Amino acid sequence: YHEPAPLRTQRPIATLINGLGRAVNGTETPLAVINVVKGRRYRFRIIGLSCDPSFNFVIHHHQMTIIEADGEYTKPLVVDSME
């Protein structure tokens, strides 16, 4: 029902978190810092706006519980990382 998109030869070289990030050969800008309080729960909305690259999302030494995927509630799943 549509023309296939041409294959890309370039790969993404940057990622933003809350509008902050760095790119290869880019300027040294501050990275995003999210302050948290021990014992509280936080909800992060991870949105992949690309159709090709793969990212591994990790919060160092912490587990996360997946509660929703693609707009559908799911059975909670505890994970160390998301790809």
Side-chain angles (χ1 to χ4, degrees):
Y1 66 70
H2 66 279
E3 293 293 322
L7 293 177
R8 291 173 30 118
T9 58
Q10 296 179 342
R11 305 290 287 171
I13 56 172
T15 300
L16 297 178
I17 297 176
N18 288 340
L20 298 173
R22 295 183 183 160
V24 175
N25 298 324
T27 59
E28 288 288 321
T29 60
L31 295 175
V33 174
I34 300 170
N35 296 309
V36 297
V37 175
K38 184 176 181 176
R40 294 195 59 189
R41 292 182 183 192
Y42 294 87
R43 181 178 291 188
F44 294 92
R45 289 178 173 88
I46 312 300
I47 302 170
L49 296 176
S50 60
C51 60
D52 188 28
S54 175
F55 294 96
N56 190 20
F57 183 82
V58 177
I59 300 175
H60 193 60
H61 293 299
H62 288 80
Q63 291 185 320
M64 300 169 278
T65 304
I66 307 292
I67 60 170
E68 182 181 349
D70 292 330
E72 298 292 328
Y73 289 112
T74 63
K75 182 177 177 182
L77 176 67
V78 177
V79 298
D80 294 319
S81 65
M82 292 184 287
E83 187 169 334

